[in-house]
Amino acid sequence: MTRREAGLRSPGHTRCGFLVLALCGLAPGGLWPAAGLEAQDPVPADSVIPLGELIVSALRAPTSVGEVPVNVTTVTREELRLSAAQTLQDVLQEVPGLNFRFPFQAGVAHPSWQAVTLRGLGGTAASRTLVLVDGVPLNDPYFGWVRWSQVPVEVIERIEIVRGGATVSWGSQSLAGVVHVITRSGGAGGFSAGIQGGSQSTFRGDAMASFGDDRAGGYVAGEFFDSDGYVLTEPSLRGAVDIPSASSHGALRAKVEFQAGDRLRIHAQGNYFDQDKDNATPLRNNTTEAGFGQVGMTFNGDDGSTLAVNAYLQSQSYVNSFSGVAAGRNSEEPSISQDVPSSGIGANLVWQKPGLGSHNLTLGTDILSATGEASEQYLFSDGAFARQRETGGDQTLYGFFAQDRILLNDRWQVYGGLRLDLWRNASGMRRVFEIADGNVLTDNAFDDRSGSRLSHNLGVLLAASDRATLRGSFYSGLRVPTLNELYKPFRAAGNVANESNEALDPERVLGAEVGLDLRPDPGVLIRLTGFWARVSNAITDVTIQEAETSGVIQPCGFVAAGGVCRRRDNVGTLRSIGLETEVEVRPAGAWLLAVNHQYNPTEVTDAPGRPDLIGNEVQGSPTHRAMLRVGHIDPSTLEVVATARYLGARFDNDLNTGEIAASFLLDVRLRRQLTSRLSAFASVQNLFDAVAEMSHDANGFIRVGAPRTLVGGLRVRLGG
């Protein structure tokens, strides 16, 4: 039995245990209305969603998007249906202001590449953005990563993206903003299923059964995905070890809601996820087994107030294998084998009182306690690993917040909020010993650390006319470093050694934005947003030294020739400025035209002790991003939607020595309603088969995005 198999079969992390957690689990999904995606009735040809009619949870209280003082983008179920995207991550790559560390497709990407960021505030594997599913954090409690495949696209009702200004409501994980995925609720009862296949031997199947009456409702949904993947290494650099990055996963999700009386509603939700990936060479692979559950209730008072209480549990097992690839890429040998179990438990309480005179008051508190431990074997020699390293710790985040929306008159609204965040890191440790004789080489117990921070948010909204709204926001917040950043070193492709740093301080953000929303016609939406943000104590992977010859570089230890030693550090200050432009036009009934663009130069403005970094662009953050979508979406005929995406050049490291080339990709989606219950669809991603760089190491190693990919399938819906 391999270590990978043993990790999956270990008694503490069995599939059965996660399945029980998922089905008996605990989620605040019942707070949000929902409906299906592809399985729903066709959208009317003249469907236009006016700016002020979408209700979002951006301020942790249901609010019309036209009455929020920050830029909120809502991806509706219609937009999901029209996109050629195959995963949630693909969908989000079309949103202005949102970027991924390395924007590979979720099916082939290593989890550490999938970190999401907003407005150029990226650069590390840990997301500076909080990702929620029905109010439950999707961010890994140990790494901060986001595994996007955990959420089947077909269960999503809508996605809300809030850039900046969300820290008062959501706390220390939301420094750059919030991505909130809201899934559908149960209905009158029905069943939907889809099957699709295509390039790279890709297969995806999903099914969803919903139930409901006047008092109870819910759904059970599942998805299975399998693909041979493609070779990530740039064609001219490939050797014998470069193989397709195959991937398979299964996901099971269930939700139930129960109306216990006129005032009390109880909801529960659970999720189970099992994924297996091959990471571009025969000896590199990883598996993830994860589950979460949540229960909660919402009580409605006589005075119109609501009190929502929720509790949740996350648990996962992550097993990962790395290798060292020889020059010429024709051979490799194991370098690290790691097993990282982690868990998180959290709860929140939110009280809301709308219509309190001219005030709409919200008070709340939340807590998240995370724990994790990485066990790694390394120094492979004579067919076996020589050393083992164990690192880990505990982290607790507390928050208390208050916010108010004040209606001054018919035109003016003012928002204000305060939040107190408290954090504590405890039981941090690193232990290294020889596997053969148990001789302990390192045994460190790091000091417990704690702190607190007060954040604010102040916003204003002016309805200048029926067709124009002005908005502005000024805010502050923080992000506490993850357990991974504090305690766990790692080694990556290209002989990169990256050391952890138990002394990291939290990042702090100060930001502002101003915006103009125009609706000159019911079929036209225009949103312009200018923004500025400054991140102090910014955590990034700082280059210590590049290795010209093999040898020891402190604090990383041995680094092979051509490699690099880096360390996570509070580098100084990042500055992000920019302009977001979003336009949607429905010129006539079935026609759709949408365009968005983000101009966002982000750079290091202060780096004590490292003047060579000042003026450098933040890694992974392009100055320009753009999307153009044109479509004919009359469900009574063949629907055709084309989406073009441009991603500007950006850098792969802090020294700006590895430049990732700009890319242009075109996707096309076709759909036809065959009967009232059956539809057929097909899509092609990267129509022109462009070779798009996704990463570009300083030593010249390049990974590329997917080639032309064709997928087709059928979807059926039965029942209500």
Side-chain angles (χ1 to χ4, degrees):
M1 180 184 296
T2 66
R3 176 176 174 81
R4 181 184 183 195
E5 292 169 337
L8 286 177
R9 297 179 186 178
S10 61
H13 301 90
T14 63
R15 287 173 170 79
C16 180
F18 278 123
L19 184 57
V20 171
L21 175 66
L23 292 179
C24 299
L26 324 169
L31 291 176
W32 310 110
L37 301 178
E38 183 73 42
Q40 293 303 293
D41 292 330
V43 178
D46 59 351
S47 171
V48 176
I49 303 175
L51 177 62
E53 292 187 2
L54 286 171
I55 304 300
V56 300
S57 54
L59 300 180
R60 216 162 187 170
T63 309
S64 168
V65 72
E67 297 181 344
V68 177
V70 295
N71 189 9
V72 180
T73 295
T74 302
V75 181
T76 66
R77 66 176 181 271
E78 180 195 31
E79 292 170 297
L80 290 166
R81 181 173 62 90
L82 298 176
S83 172
Q86 301 299 309
T87 67
L88 172 58
Q89 181 178 355
D90 292 341
V91 172
L92 293 175
Q93 293 197 55
E94 301 171 359
V95 175
L98 189 150
N99 194 40
F100 292 88
R101 188 185 185 205
F102 301 122
F104 294 93
Q105 291 180 335
V108 302
H110 188 274
S112 64
W113 302 346
Q114 297 177 267
V116 63
T117 186
L118 295 167
R119 290 180 173 168
L121 300 180
T124 68
S127 297
R128 288 189 172 105
T129 301
L130 176 62
V131 181
L132 302 161
V133 180
D134 292 334
V136 182
L138 194 63
N139 301 73
D140 184 291
Y142 183 87
F143 293 101
W145 303 339
V146 179
R147 293 175 175 85
W148 300 96
S149 299
Q150 292 185 69
V151 186
V153 174
E154 300 302 332
V155 306
I156 299 173
E157 161 67 9
R158 68 181 184 273
I159 308 167
E160 302 168 1
I161 300 97
V162 187
R163 309 162 186 82
T167 52
V168 167
S169 300
W170 295 105
S172 66
Q173 293 176 298
S174 62
L175 179 140
V178 172
V179 176
H180 196 175
V181 180
I182 298 169
T183 71
R184 60 180 294 186
S185 297
F191 175 80
S192 66
I195 185 171
Q196 65 185 57
S199 302
Q200 305 160 18
S201 298
T202 298
F203 171 83
R204 184 193 302 271
D206 67 85
M208 181 173 184
S210 61
F211 59 92
D213 56 27
D214 292 340
R215 295 183 61 84
Y219 69 76
V220 177
E223 176 184 88
F224 175 78
F225 171 86
D226 185 79
S227 176
D228 288 348
Y230 68 94
V231 180
L232 274 63
T233 303
E234 197 274 333
S236 68
L237 302 176
R238 292 172 186 171
V241 301
D242 293 299
I243 64 172
S245 292
S247 174
S248 65
H249 73 256
L252 178 65
R253 192 174 193 88
K255 178 191 289 187
V256 63
E257 304 167 288
F258 178 69
Q259 192 71 37
D262 293 339
R263 299 179 184 174
L264 180 64
R265 190 166 185 84
I266 301 171
H267 44 267
Q269 183 168 254
N271 188 81
Y272 165 73
F273 178 70
D274 185 3
Q275 184 177 61
D276 194 342
K277 284 187 175 184
D278 293 330
N279 290 325
T281 73
L283 296 182
R284 295 179 182 177
N285 48 65
N286 68 79
T287 59
T288 299
E289 195 168 12
F292 84 80
Q294 185 163 0
V295 293
M297 66 177 186
T298 303
F299 179 80
N300 298 308
D302 286 336
D303 58 354
S305 65
T306 62
L307 178 66
V309 182
N310 297 283
Y312 63 87
L313 170 68
Q314 302 168 291
S315 182
Q316 75 162 33
S317 173
Y318 174 65
V319 179
N320 194 24
S321 297
F322 290 101
S323 71
V325 178
R329 304 193 61 79
N330 290 316
S331 65
E332 64 176 337
E333 67 174 24
S335 61
I336 296 180
S337 178
Q338 60 183 206
D339 189 350
V340 190
S342 61
S343 63
I345 185 169
N348 60 70
L349 183 151
V350 179
W351 177 82
Q352 301 170 23
K353 182 60 174 76
L356 189 64
S358 61
H359 297 262
N360 289 271
L361 185 63
T362 303
L363 304 175
T365 183
D366 48 53
I367 181 173
L368 171 62
S369 178
T371 186
E373 181 175 314
S375 178
E376 302 173 294
Q377 294 183 348
Y378 63 107
L379 285 185
F380 188 83
S381 178
D382 297 326
F385 289 105
R387 289 183 183 175
Q388 183 161 327
R389 176 173 56 220
E390 296 177 351
T391 59
D394 304 325
Q395 184 175 83
T396 305
L397 308 174
Y398 309 88
F400 305 89
F401 68 92
Q403 60 187 25
D404 193 10
R405 176 165 68 104
I406 306 172
L407 308 177
L408 300 180
N409 53 45
D410 292 341
R411 299 178 60 191
W412 287 91
Q413 299 183 39
V414 176
Y415 294 75
L418 289 174
R419 179 182 176 96
L420 176 64
D421 280 296
L422 302 96
W423 56 272
R424 178 176 175 81
N425 297 323
S427 304
M429 63 87 181
R430 177 187 292 193
R431 185 171 181 265
V432 180
F433 58 90
E434 300 284 0
I435 295 176
D437 57 12
N439 181 41
V440 177
L441 304 177
T442 301
D443 192 0
N444 293 333
F446 302 119
D447 293 339
D448 295 352
R449 301 178 66 204
S450 61
S452 62
R453 183 78 179 179
L454 189 66
S455 303
H456 76 274
N457 188 9
L458 179 64
V460 62
L461 199 71
L462 169 63
S465 69
D466 293 340
R467 299 183 177 184
T469 302
L470 293 169
R471 51 186 163 78
S473 179
F474 177 64
Y475 59 91
S476 63
L478 85 162
R479 182 185 76 88
V480 179
T482 64
L483 293 171
N484 176 53
E485 291 173 310
L486 290 165
Y487 305 125
K488 182 185 167 300
F490 74 92
R491 294 189 176 239
N495 294 320
V496 174
N498 205 324
E499 183 63 28
S500 59
N501 185 351
E502 72 280 358
L504 289 173
D505 291 320
E507 299 177 319
R508 303 191 303 271
V509 66
L510 184 68
E513 69 173 71
V514 292
L516 172 64
D517 300 340
L518 298 173
R519 190 171 59 183
D521 182 87
V524 178
L525 297 176
I526 302 173
R527 308 197 83 186
L528 302 173
T529 306
F531 59 89
W532 169 88
R534 185 188 68 201
V535 179
S536 304
N537 287 338
I539 299 171
T540 191
D541 299 333
V542 179
T543 298
I544 303 299
Q545 184 179 334
E546 296 178 346
E548 297 182 2
T549 59
S550 298
V552 174
I553 301 176
Q554 295 300 340
C556 298
F558 178 81
V559 180
V564 59
C565 170
R566 296 188 181 125
R567 186 189 189 201
R568 300 185 184 103
D569 204 354
N570 295 107
V571 67
T573 304
L574 311 180
R575 185 195 64 198
S576 174
I577 60 173
L579 175 66
E580 294 160 350
T581 303
E582 302 170 75
V583 180
E584 181 175 347
V585 181
R586 299 292 181 97
W591 288 96
L592 165 68
L593 172 65
V595 61
N596 65 59
H597 174 263
Q598 179 194 28
Y599 171 71
N600 182 201
T602 303
E603 65 179 34
V604 178
T605 58
D606 182 42
R610 291 299 303 268
D612 56 319
L613 299 181
I614 296 176
N616 284 3
E617 296 181 21
V618 173
Q619 57 208 84
S621 299
T623 298
H624 292 278
R625 295 182 74 251
M627 187 275 286
L628 171 66
R629 173 171 290 163
V630 180
H632 184 269
I633 57 173
D634 183 354
S636 64
T637 63
L638 178 66
E639 295 181 324
V640 182
V641 179
T643 303
R645 291 177 287 133
Y646 173 80
L647 186 63
R650 62 266 184 217
F651 290 98
D652 204 353
N653 64 11
D654 61 316
L655 298 179
N656 285 187
T657 54
E659 184 176 25
I660 306 171
S663 61
F664 174 84
L665 301 174
L666 178 63
D667 305 331
V668 177
R669 167 82 164 179
L670 308 174
R671 182 181 180 276
R672 171 71 175 177
Q673 194 73 30
L674 303 178
T675 71
S676 61
R677 299 300 184 187
L678 181 66
S679 62
F681 57 91
S683 64
V684 55
Q685 292 179 287
N686 191 5
L687 178 65
F688 297 136
D689 201 24
V691 178
E693 291 188 10
M694 297 287 106
S695 67
H696 191 141
D697 294 347
N699 61 10
F701 181 64
I702 301 171
R703 300 185 187 93
V704 296
R708 182 188 298 115
T709 303
L710 292 88
V711 173
L714 297 170
R715 177 158 297 281
V716 63
R717 182 189 183 205
L718 306 173

